[in-house]
């Protein structure tokens, strides 16, 4: 419930407001929270059914067709009714009474039954075919409890597409009532608890209609009642519905926050304020918890009498879109194992390229121009841009006499000539292993060979290598292209490789080339870089045990894409994710073992964020599957050393994991 003038209809209602299960049933006792009964023909939160209308129909019997519920209030007390209550809420209807019973078990269902399918057809990713004799054990569906403060919030939540076995608890408004409701939530023995409703926004940039998913829930004194580590995962599913979602702390207070109090709360870093979340969160223990609030008012856009109902109705309509993502979140909770592939994330060449830009900014000041992305990762590029780097596609965008950095992927000689013509001060961040391929291309073509470059068209590294001798280098992307190659002298043919290829992919092309050109020769040492090889070997090791592999990296990162392809070729569902928000909760439904790797251009922090988010879905055992440790380092370019920058440590020998290409360091 919002701590501003928010709609709801129960602002003045007593604690014992129970949505009616049967209009002839005994009244509920005062002093207890409301628990919305299943299949209630008069309930605003669930559709009615014939089963529910039969006298004595049990909650468990109807649990397969609508959100389930418990009625925990004792009989004999009359439920109250709520009116307008000034600006505290919109008019609510008279509350009814409920039977004072509790369903012994709610929400137990086997995988594959109609009741067990997640709402909206959300399914786990397909798994490779099991042997005919394999038997899949039924999996109990997670029991989700959803708490709402007020009647109209319960109505919206109940019509939002929540799983059919959801237990809904209406708490009443304020932290004291919510604290009493927390006992009811615990008695429901939930696997996951979510509180949903309307709220007030605190942070700049948050507008009415936006959604806040709590990263943590704080009490009024600033203490943390619960940390919601899985918030980025839930926020990602909500954003994919087209909703504007913010992730951050929510603070719970005892009364409506306005004016200076609202300013004070915003200064603590909280981005939204309500009156129930902390009390519920503190009372549910270690059960995975989520708080999802729809903003109806902010300091800049407070609610007034004229727009109270309009803004509230819009907020409630937004609430009706929350059910499927929250249901998917609940389906994903459970104990799991996370296997971290090692090595993963940044390689020595990427670390060097990033440091080149950082040092250039220190020495020359902003702006420093960078041709293309310094490495293929949007997070890295955004971070450097915030420090003063300006990324351009071509050199004609760079002012004459400015400083420009060439990316780690290398450039063709023509680009160097263009830089000279525009009097640009160039700092070359080309990875030494890419430069090795360029040097081989120059050497082989200068002696009269036709060079067949195995790689992918359009990749910056490939464009740069082709540019070394365009008339003597041909690109080969697949074995199917080998037969159509036309070379001047089949006895003088050499092959080279893009450094970020999948090893087995490249070997297939090499085999086809050797069959077509028996005299063909390759480079003195492998072109596929040690980091690419190591990460592919590590992800294969993880894929032997995992049901799902998540690779952190950008879509334009060739080595990241190759990791996904390697996992899929090994028969494991695998997805490339830019960050934790790209992980779809449906992928995790029923998955007990998740493998995680990251492309060589992905920051390690992104892996840490993903692992932390998964841990918010339940007890998580994190372990590493390693194929060795990388100890390679590269010197900074001579341009920075001449400028007085301290050079990086010289390249050192690597463990057995760092084999391919490790002799080409400079």
């Amino acid at each position: 419930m919002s701590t501003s003038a928010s709609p709801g209809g129960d602002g003045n209602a007593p604690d014992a407001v129970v949505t009616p299960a049967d209009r002839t049933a005994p009244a509920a006792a005062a002093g207890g929270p409301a628990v919305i009964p299943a299949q209630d023909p008069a309930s605003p939160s669930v559709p009615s059914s014939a089963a529910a209308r039969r006298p004595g129909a049990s909650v468990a019997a109807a649990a397969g067709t609508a959100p389930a519920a418990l009625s925990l209030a004792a009989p004999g007390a009359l439920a109250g009714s709520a009116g307008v209550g000034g600006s505290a809420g919109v008019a609510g209807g008279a509350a009814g009474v409920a039977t004072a019973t509790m369903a012994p078990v709610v929400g137990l269902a086997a995988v594959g039954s109609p009741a067990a399918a997640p709402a909206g057809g959300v399914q786990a990713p397909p798994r490779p075919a099991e042997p005919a004799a394999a038997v899949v054990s039924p999996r109990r569906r997670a029991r989700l409890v959803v708490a709402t403060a007020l009647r109209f919030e319960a109505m919206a939540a109940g019509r939002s597409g929540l799983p059919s076995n959801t237990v809904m608890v209406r708490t009443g408004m304020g932290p004291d009532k919510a604290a009493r409701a927390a006992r009811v939530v615990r008695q429901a023995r939930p696997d996951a608890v979510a509180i949903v409703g309307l709220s007030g926004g605190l942070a700049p940039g948050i507008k009415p209609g936006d959604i806040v998913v709590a990263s943590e829930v704080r009490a009024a004194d600033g203490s943390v009642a619960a940390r919601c580590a899985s918030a980025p995962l839930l926020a990602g599913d909500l954003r994919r519905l087209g909703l504007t979602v913010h992730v951050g702390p929510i603070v719970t207070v005892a009364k409506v926050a306005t004016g200076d109090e609202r300013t004070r709360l915003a200064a603590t870093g909280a981005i939204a304020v309500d009156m129930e979340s902390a009390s519920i969160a503190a009372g549910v223990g270690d059960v995975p918890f989520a708080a999802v609030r729809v903003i109806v008012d902010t300091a800049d856009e407070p609610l007034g009498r004229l727009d109270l109902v309009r803004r509230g109705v819009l907020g409630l309509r937004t609430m009706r879109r929350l059910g499927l993502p929250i249901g998917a979140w609940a389906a994903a909770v459970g104990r799991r194992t996370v296997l971290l592939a090692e090595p993963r994330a940044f390689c020595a060449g990427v670390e060097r390229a990033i440091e080149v830009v950082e040092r250039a900014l220190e020495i020359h000041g902003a702006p420093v121009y960078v041709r293309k992305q310094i490495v293929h990762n949007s997070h890295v590029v955004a971070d450097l841009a915030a420090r003063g780097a300006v990324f351009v596609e071509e050199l004609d965008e760079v002012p004459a006499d400015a400083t420009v950095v060439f990316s780690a992927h290398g450039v063709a000689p023509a680009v160097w000539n263009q830089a000279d013509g525009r009097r640009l001060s160039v700092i070359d961040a080309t990875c030494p292993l890419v430069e090795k391929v360029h040097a081989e291309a120059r050497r082989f073509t200068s002696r009269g060979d036709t060079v067949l470059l195995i790689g992918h068209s359009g990749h910056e590294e490939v464009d740069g290598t082709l540019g070394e001798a365009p008339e003597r280098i041909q690109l080969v992307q697949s074995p199917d292209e080998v037969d159509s190659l036309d070379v001047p002298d089949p006895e003088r043919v050499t092959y080279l490789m893009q450094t970020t290829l999948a090893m087995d992919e490249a070997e297939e092309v090499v085999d086809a080339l050797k069959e077509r050109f028996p005299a063909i020769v390759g480079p003195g040492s492998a072109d596929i870089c040690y980091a690419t090889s190591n990460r592919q070997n590590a992800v294969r090791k993880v894929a032997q045990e995992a049901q799902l592999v998540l690779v952190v990296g950008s879509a334009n990162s060739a080595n990241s894409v190759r990791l996904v392809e390697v996992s899929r070729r090994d028969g494991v569902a695998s997805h490339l994710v830019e960050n934790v928000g790209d992980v779809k909760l449906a992928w995790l439904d029923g998955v007990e073992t998740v493998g995680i790797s990251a492309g060589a251009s992905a920051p390690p922090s992104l892996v840490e964020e993903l692992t932390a988010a998964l841990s918010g879905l339940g007890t998580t055992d994190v372990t590493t599957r390693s194929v060795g440790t990388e100890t390679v380092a590269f010197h900074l370019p001579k341009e920075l050393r001449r400028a007085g920058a301290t050079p990086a440590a010289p390249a050192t020998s690597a463990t057995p994991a760092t084999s391919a290409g490790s002799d080409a360091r400079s």
Side-chain angles (χ1 to χ4, degrees), residues 211-233:
I211 294 173
V212 169
V213 179
S215 59
E216 65 180 30
V217 176
R218 301 173 182 171
D221 62 3
S223 61
V224 177
R227 300 191 189 279
C228 311
S230 63
L233 296 168

Side-chain angles (χ1 to χ4, degrees), residues 20 75 91 116 132 141 165 177 182 211 242 296 328 351 433 435 495 525 528 540 587 591 596 610 664:
R141 222 178 142 199
N165 65 336
K177 294 179 181 179
I211 294 173
V296 292
E351 290 177 337
L433 301 184
E435 177 53 40
Y495 70 84
S525 60
I528 295 178
R540 280 196 177 95
W587 297 343
V591 173
I596 298 178
L610 175 54

Side-chain angles (χ1 to χ4, degrees), residues 98-144:
T99 305
T101 60
M102 175 177 176
V105 179
V106 177
L108 299 181
V111 173
S113 69
V122 179
Q123 299 292 337
R127 292 285 296 116
E130 298 287 349
V135 177
V136 179
S137 299
R139 184 174 67 91
R140 183 178 70 84
R141 222 178 142 199
R143 184 180 301 121
L144 170 64

Side-chain angles (χ1 to χ4, degrees), residues 27-103:
V35 184
I36 299 175
Q39 311 307 322
D40 174 7
S43 170
S45 62
V46 294
S48 60
S49 71
R53 286 192 291 269
R54 290 197 302 269
S58 69
V59 171
T65 56
L70 307 178
S71 178
L72 305 182
L78 180 64
S81 62
V84 173
S87 63
V90 294
V97 294
T99 305
T101 60
M102 175 177 176

Side-chain angles (χ1 to χ4, degrees), residues 474-631:
Q474 298 183 42
L475 179 63
V476 185
Q477 300 188 76
S478 70
D480 295 337
E481 297 181 4
V482 172
D483 287 341
S484 61
L485 293 173
D486 183 16
V487 301
D489 185 353
E491 298 300 316
R492 299 193 62 84
V493 182
T494 305
Y495 70 84
L496 297 175
M497 297 181 186
Q498 179 182 332
T499 63
T500 54
L501 295 179
M503 293 176 289
D504 52 358
E505 171 190 32
E507 288 168 358
E508 291 175 0
V509 180
V510 171
D511 289 343
L513 289 173
K514 288 180 177 179
E515 183 176 349
R516 170 83 191 278
F517 306 107
I520 195 171
V521 295
S525 60
D527 284 340
I528 295 178
C529 82
Y530 75 91
T532 298
S533 301
N534 290 345
R535 281 152 187 73
Q536 291 175 16
N537 289 333
V539 84
R540 280 196 177 95
K541 190 167 187 176
V542 162
Q544 293 174 1
E545 303 175 59
Q547 298 167 277
L548 170 71
V549 172
L550 300 175
V551 176
V552 180
S554 294
N556 64 336
S557 167
N559 73 86
S560 299
V561 173
R562 300 293 90 75
L563 293 176
V564 174
E565 293 172 351
V566 164
S567 300
R568 289 177 177 172
R569 280 199 292 271
D570 286 352
V572 181
S574 184
H575 302 280
L576 180 67
V577 295
E578 185 86 41
N579 52 46
V580 62
D582 285 348
V583 177
K584 296 182 180 180
L585 286 163
W587 297 343
L588 300 168
D589 188 357
V591 173
E592 297 178 355
T593 305
V594 178
I596 298 178
S597 185
S601 53
S605 60
L606 298 179
V607 174
E608 295 167 4
E609 292 171 6
L610 175 54
T611 304
L614 292 175
S615 71
L617 296 173
T619 302
T620 304
D621 300 315
V622 181
T623 187
T624 299
R625 294 291 182 266
S626 178
V627 296
T629 304
E630 293 174 350
T631 58

Side-chain angles (χ1 to χ4, degrees), residues 322-363:
L322 305 182
L324 295 181
I326 291 175
W329 170 78
V333 303
R335 186 180 188 117
R336 60 175 44 88
T337 298
V338 171
L339 304 177
L340 298 178
E342 185 181 71
R344 62 183 179 275
F346 280 170
C347 66
V350 166
E351 290 177 337
R352 174 182 181 268
I354 294 170
E355 187 177 4
V356 165
V357 180
E358 293 172 339
R359 294 292 187 92
L361 287 167
E362 291 174 6
I363 295 168

